[in-house]
Amino acid sequence: MSDIGILNDPISLIAIALLLGSPGLALGGIPGALLWPTHRLAGAALGAVTGFVIWLAGWMILNDVI
């Protein structure tokens, strides 16, 4: 029995992406909140999403996934 395809369902792929991109959430959320002091929550959310995307894309490029 092979377990190669065990992590190919959408929930597992989303969990893996969240795990691999999670450092970008903090690294983007903190500067986002600090750079937009009048709207800290919106700045933190925008920074976290941006940091997540950049971190995950960087990880994928460095590990030859894309």
Side-chain angles (χ1 to χ4, degrees):
M1 177 187 263
S2 175
D3 62 349
I4 292 173
I6 200 165
L7 294 175
N8 284 340
D9 61 302
I11 305 238
S12 295
L13 294 176
I14 291 170
I16 291 169
L18 285 173
L19 178 70
L20 294 175
S22 62
L25 292 173
L27 292 175
I30 293 170
L34 294 175
L35 291 174
W36 200 1
T38 57
H39 301 286
R40 290 207 188 271
L41 290 177
L46 185 62
V49 169
T50 304
F52 176 81
V53 169
I54 291 171
W55 187 277
L56 187 61
W59 183 90
M60 292 174 79
I61 289 169
L62 287 175
N63 289 311
D64 294 328
V65 176
I66 56 172

